[in-house]
Amino acid sequence: MARMAGRRTLFAGPVLLVVTFGVFAVAALSPFDPVKAYAGTAGLTASQAGLDQLRVNLGVDQPLLSRWWEWLTSALTGDLGTSAVMRQPVSDVIAQRLGWSALLALCAFAVAVLLGTGLGVLAARRQGGRLDRAVSGLAYTLEAAPAFWLGLLAIWFFSVRLGALPSGGLTDAGSDVVTAGQVARHLVLPALVLGISQLPWFFLYVRQGVADALEEDPVRGARARGLGERRVLLGHGLRSGMLPMLTLIGSRVPELITGALLVETVFSWPGIAAATVEAATSVDFPLLAALTVLATAAVLAGNLLSDLLYGLADPRVGFDG
Amino acid sequence: MKARTVRGMAGATAAAVIVAGAAACSTPGGGAAAGAGAADSVVVGIATEPESLSPLLGYGKDGNSKIFDGLLAHDAGMKLKPALAEALPEVSADGLTYTYPLRRGVKFSDGRPFGAKDVVFTYRTILDAKTNNASKSELDAIADVTARGEDAVVFTLKYPYAPFAERTVLPIAPEHIAGGQDVNSGEFTTRPVGTGPYVLTAWSKGEKLSFKANPSYWGGEPAVKKFTMAVIKDDDVRATRLRSGELDGAVLPPNLAKGFKADKALKRYAAKTYDYRQVTLPTEHPVTGDTAVRRALDIAVDRGALVDKLLEGAGKAAYGPVPTGSPWFAAGTERPYDLAQAQKILDDAGWIPGADGIRVKNGVRAAFPLWYPSGDKLRQDHALAFASDAKKAGIQVTTESGSWEVIEPRMKTDAVLAGGGSPADPDFDQYLTLNSALAGDGFNNMARYDNPAVDQALLDGRRSADPAVRKAAYDTVQRELVKNPGYVYLTHIDHLYVVGDRWDGPSTQTEPHDHGLGTGPWWNVESWKPKQK
């Protein structure tokens, strides 16, 4: 297990290196112009000489390879460079935003996994029953519903109609101290929306997995031996039914990141997702590269995690050699 | 045993969620009451967040930054009044030297005194080639800026520039703080310190900017003690949060602002603007370069319908860069919608309708593409309406959308649905969009308009200090645009705001094209007072 984790970590180095170069190459090929993005509306009245000077100052007149090499060497010494679009060091941008995104994503993930698993087991127990039909129908609808739309719906219902929960921001708009209580209150809606938008995948996998497991011989045998339904469901059905879902956990990480983008926008959540898109459309090389490294690392870690969980849940599966 | 580990982990996660849930429930009522609703606090929703709060990088260059003051400021009628300067500048007879006496006893919010060196530092830093300020060409006229003693600054100009004083609303940064940092990325860009009525207490990027009243503000401590700008990009979300009572005011598009009509607790404001939408008519295109086609298009477009249908009445027909209500407007240059006259002009010029109704002259079809920036609904609507009006006159306009990166290389020959406008002085916008010397320079003079009479008038307008000469010059520009339009100006659009009716003081200034942080009914929030019941 430790050997697998170690080897995967070693393997992550070259992957990340290739990914950062890919980011620089793709960004250099993109039709977006970093100078225009930096200047914004001021660029519409700036002289050509002014724009040319800006191009030199931002260093975007340099060839691709030297820009990448410069970024890479200073990144290795801990200096991630300066974000052009945020006008501040990349490390500050990430430090200010990453925590909030991670908090949101973790809570949403917990909602999706726990609720998805729970409902999946209940639905599998009585396939075709009322609960199963209701939840499955809902899951298919949710699968098609954009997180953005879910967010607006949640704001409309919980904030405008009921007035029960705040509709956006990290804390109340009028307050500028960040307290745990305020953050918790403001976290509820975005985390629920993001979690629920991810829920169908977990629910559908668990439902199918557990239902299949309940049809298998060991379960029939267990039932025949007179074991309690609870024991059969959780001990046998869930355990093998969980396996496909554990793989799913890792592969949902990228989805969670893209979903977070929409949710963060709707709820004015000051996370990293919105910064990622801004970095991409502004061809903000240093910020984009740093964020891509983070996202790649998250995906690699997600895959490692699901493989580890898989191995733990099913002793027949080894830790790849 | 391994399974137990999994179960243990799941249990721990569940416990964490329950704890978080309990924490969420244990703070009842801490919400709305603390934010909107308190007598001395104001929360407004804005659509765009500034990249930086450093005046050195362009923040607040048009005045009205809450954190800083300029040498001068605009009053409600957009007239210049002294701010950090004690009086309006003294201008030398040749128009080349501007001397500003400085207000004494002003302190930055960190307690250090403001002085002439801060003014010199601010302007010199902006003009420095290493400073990434995209608006620095606005200060092109400056040859040098120097301190004269402790309490006066002198600007010397390269050429006489009548509207120069309008540029000095630019906020002044403290040298003792900003001087020691990297101007492009230092801490000052996000943690500014100024002399203004408000002090930034927190900036949660992507969420909000929080300000508190500056108790030692030289203009008196504001009555609104807390001021918050919540950053809400999506129009619908902003309207929803306004409705839920979390915001005291917000900027809204016309269709959403309409929904608040019946709400007695909220007041709607329509700010008059210089913000125009126009169609560029590239001089180098064989169709749009023909003066007859230009004149025909100029009167074939039904501006009244644009205002009524597209803007729902929130705007005005535009006949040139200057809105009809402005003192700079050249009376008599209004052109009524006249399709018959447009057709006659085209007939007389030899543009004869072909079999498909589209006119042809010497084998050239009267057709051209019109680009608009993708995602901009208002410009898209304008472009489609323009194309349909042009069709009636026998000219085929094909609308296409793309990002500015796609549009820019085509600007030389393809038409663009563009926008612009600056209320402070007619020179600011017209010199850049109509001067033949700036044809194709960046985004300036996109249509490559070339009219010697206009060039001369633009020079007269910026060099003479005599108001009568200036007025005559800009009248000439507007009249020339009737004879030979390089652009079809369509509308001047109002900017709409909805604000809670709890204060005395909200009003609107004439606003520019750019939606800066300084625009909106809260441009003067420092002088608002709670309404007496």
Side-chain angles (χ1 to χ4, degrees):
Chain A
M1 190 171 166
R3 268 181 59 204
M4 178 172 92
R7 211 177 28 214
R8 294 281 190 93
T9 314
L10 277 182
F11 180 62
V15 169
L16 290 175
L17 201 66
V18 171
V19 165
T20 61
F21 183 75
V23 168
F24 273 77
V26 169
L29 285 173
S30 90
F32 296 112
D33 181 359
V35 175
K36 237 161 259 134
Y38 184 92
T41 44
L44 297 177
T45 53
S47 65
Q48 191 60 50
L51 292 174
D52 292 345
Q53 178 69 49
L54 206 51
R55 188 171 298 277
V56 174
N57 287 3
L58 295 175
V60 288
D61 55 337
Q62 300 293 313
L64 163 68
L65 207 61
S66 70
R67 236 179 321 172
W68 175 67
W69 184 247
E70 203 173 304
W71 177 84
L72 188 70
T73 44
S74 52
L76 289 176
T77 64
D79 173 15
L80 293 176
T82 301
S83 159
V85 69
M86 302 284 167
R87 316 282 198 266
Q88 63 184 132
V90 168
S91 45
D92 288 6
V93 176
I94 292 174
Q96 279 168 13
R97 294 171 175 255
L98 186 63
W100 299 127
S101 278
L103 179 70
L104 175 63
L106 281 177
C107 290
F109 217 52
V111 167
V113 172
L114 295 178
L115 217 57
T117 310
L119 288 172
V121 171
L122 289 179
R125 202 174 63 167
R126 298 229 197 296
Q127 261 194 313
R130 267 164 63 188
L131 178 92
D132 180 35
R133 274 181 300 167
V135 180
S136 297
L138 202 64
Y140 284 118
T141 316
L142 280 175
E143 223 174 352
F148 188 80
W149 180 80
L150 280 181
L152 282 178
L153 200 69
I155 291 180
W156 172 78
F157 187 71
F158 290 102
S159 306
V160 180
R161 295 297 301 241
L162 300 184
L165 288 165
S167 58
L170 186 63
T171 56
D172 289 335
S175 123
D176 47 7
V177 271
V178 180
T179 61
Q182 285 231 344
V183 173
R185 265 173 59 82
H186 283 75
L187 181 63
V188 176
L189 277 188
L192 271 181
V193 167
L194 184 56
I196 296 228
S197 74
Q198 299 296 318
L199 182 137
W201 282 269
F202 294 101
F203 165 75
L204 294 171
Y205 267 65
V206 170
R207 173 179 171 273
Q208 197 58 49
V210 173
D212 288 349
L214 290 180
E215 296 298 311
E216 281 169 13
D217 288 342
V219 174
R220 289 200 190 151
R223 279 213 174 111
R225 289 202 309 276
L227 280 175
E229 186 62 23
R230 210 180 133 84
R231 186 90 193 273
V232 171
L233 199 62
L234 297 179
H236 293 78
L238 180 60
R239 192 152 166 190
S240 57
M242 282 265 282
L243 290 180
M245 197 199 80
L246 294 178
T247 339
L248 190 67
I249 288 185
S251 66
R252 290 316 293 175
V253 170
E255 280 288 328
L256 197 66
I257 294 172
T258 43
L261 165 69
L262 298 173
V263 172
E264 285 183 7
T265 310
V266 175
F267 290 96
S268 307
W269 189 258
I272 202 95
T276 311
V277 168
E278 227 171 309
T281 54
S282 314
V283 201
D284 188 343
F285 291 93
L287 182 57
L288 192 57
L291 291 177
T292 314
V293 167
L294 276 177
T296 313
V299 172
L300 291 177
N303 282 331
L304 176 62
L305 179 74
S306 54
D307 287 351
L308 290 177
L309 287 178
Y310 205 102
L312 283 174
D314 187 347
R316 288 170 301 176
V317 180
F319 292 110
D320 59 29
Chain B
M1 195 165 110
K2 277 168 185 163
R4 196 170 297 153
T5 324
V6 174
R7 232 173 280 147
M9 274 161 60
T13 320
V17 169
I18 290 162
V19 169
C25 298
S26 64
T27 48
D40 58 356
S41 83
V42 173
V43 183
V44 299
I46 55 172
T48 50
E49 186 173 33
E51 283 89 14
S52 147
L53 290 177
S54 168
L56 304 170
L57 296 180
Y59 165 67
K61 68 187 177 64
D62 297 316
N64 273 341
S65 73
K66 295 294 140 215
I67 311 162
F68 298 94
D69 294 300
L71 290 171
L72 304 179
H74 288 122
D75 67 8
M78 289 301 283
K79 284 223 160 36
L80 287 174
K81 61 175 185 183
L84 286 179
E86 202 172 28
L88 294 179
E90 206 176 278
V91 187
S92 65
D94 60 3
L96 287 174
T97 314
Y98 281 65
T99 308
Y100 290 78
L102 299 184
R103 192 179 293 275
R104 269 166 264 195
V106 175
K107 286 190 165 62
F108 286 102
S109 59
D110 68 344
R112 298 276 292 271
F114 152 81
K117 61 176 180 33
D118 298 305
V119 180
V120 173
F121 163 77
T122 300
Y123 282 87
R124 286 201 177 152
T125 308
I126 292 176
L127 289 168
D128 189 291
K130 289 272 169 285
T131 303
N132 297 339
N133 181 326
S135 311
K136 71 171 78 184
S137 49
E138 294 184 354
L139 301 177
D140 272 349
I142 299 178
D144 196 15
V145 48
T146 49
R148 202 180 67 196
E150 259 308 287
D151 43 21
V153 283
V154 181
F155 292 88
T156 40
L157 305 188
K158 294 175 194 155
Y159 46 84
Y161 187 48
F164 178 70
E166 292 283 353
R167 293 297 190 205
T168 56
V169 298
L170 185 136
I172 301 302
E175 184 185 21
H176 67 272
I177 293 173
Q181 309 178 359
D182 179 343
V183 60
N184 296 318
S185 64
E187 207 192 12
F188 183 70
T189 58
T190 49
R191 301 216 64 82
V193 173
T195 56
Y198 286 89
V199 178
L200 182 80
T201 49
W203 181 7
S204 169
K205 282 209 175 188
E207 190 203 357
K208 68 188 168 196
L209 297 106
S210 312
F211 304 90
K212 72 170 196 315
N214 178 358
S216 52
Y217 182 51
W218 57 270
E221 188 184 1
V224 173
K225 298 280 184 256
K226 277 185 83 171
F227 182 54
T228 309
M229 290 176 159
V231 181
I232 305 162
K233 292 205 173 88
D234 187 78
D235 293 333
D236 291 300
V237 177
R238 216 176 316 114
T240 307
R241 290 184 66 180
L242 182 63
R243 207 176 284 286
S244 75
E246 282 177 63
L247 302 176
D248 295 302
V251 55
L252 290 174
N255 58 336
L256 289 174
K258 209 167 63 171
F260 289 89
K261 221 174 209 165
D263 201 325
K264 288 279 181 293
L266 295 164
K267 244 174 117 167
R268 296 189 307 153
Y269 294 84
K272 294 288 162 233
T273 71
Y274 265 57
D275 186 4
Y276 58 69
R277 295 293 176 273
Q278 53 165 201
V279 174
T280 68
L281 299 174
T283 302
E284 300 190 14
H285 189 280
V287 175
T288 54
D290 184 326
T291 312
V293 172
R294 296 175 181 223
R295 288 181 52 212
L297 285 171
D298 193 33
I299 54 173
V301 62
D302 188 352
R303 297 178 171 89
L306 291 179
V307 174
D308 293 342
K309 306 244 170 65
L310 294 190
L311 303 180
E312 315 217 7
K316 277 191 171 147
Y319 302 101
V322 181
T324 47
S326 163
W328 290 102
F329 182 72
T333 56
E334 299 94 336
R335 272 103 59 207
Y337 168 62
D338 193 344
L339 183 59
Q341 179 65 19
Q343 286 166 333
K344 184 171 179 304
I345 292 173
L346 290 168
D347 288 340
D348 292 351
W351 290 96
I352 308 302
D356 57 352
I358 304 303
R359 291 167 187 270
V360 181
K361 180 185 179 178
N362 303 334
V364 179
R365 258 168 70 86
F368 62 91
L370 169 61
W371 289 85
Y372 61 88
S374 42
D376 189 330
K377 172 90 170 37
L378 193 60
R379 291 197 200 198
Q380 179 184 354
D381 290 346
H382 274 82
L384 294 173
F386 177 80
S388 118
D389 283 351
K391 185 88 184 277
K392 291 179 197 149
I395 297 170
Q396 187 179 42
V397 177
T398 325
T399 56
E400 300 195 54
S401 73
S403 70
W404 281 113
E405 281 79 6
V406 176
I407 297 172
E408 195 194 358
R410 297 175 164 87
M411 289 189 317
K412 191 174 176 184
T413 53
D414 292 8
V416 179
L417 206 299
S422 175
D425 194 278
D427 174 81
F428 291 177
D429 170 67
Q430 296 181 27
Y431 193 82
L432 298 177
T433 54
L434 298 170
N435 183 355
S436 66
L438 292 177
D441 177 83
F443 283 84
N444 295 320
N445 194 354
M446 277 189 206
R448 290 166 159 73
Y449 186 64
D450 187 353
N451 182 338
V454 168
D455 286 348
Q456 187 55 48
L458 290 172
L459 270 187
D460 294 346
R462 64 166 31 188
R463 303 230 155 152
S464 171
D466 182 349
V469 174
R470 300 200 71 208
K471 171 79 174 116
Y474 293 111
D475 280 2
T476 304
V477 172
Q478 292 168 69
R479 296 224 172 81
E480 284 296 323
L481 283 174
V482 179
K483 287 189 248 167
N484 176 15
Y487 302 81
V488 179
Y489 292 86
L490 301 173
T491 55
H492 279 106
I493 63 172
D494 290 351
H495 297 163
L496 299 178
Y497 304 90
V498 177
V499 181
D501 194 16
R502 299 195 286 124
W503 299 272
D504 284 324
S507 66
T508 57
Q509 281 182 315
T510 309
E511 297 188 353
H513 171 58
D514 210 2
H515 278 62
L517 286 193
T519 60
W522 40 88
W523 71 276
N524 62 346
V525 63
E526 63 272 20
S527 58
W528 289 12
K529 301 277 183 269
K531 221 170 209 173
Q532 302 299 322
K533 294 244 168 81

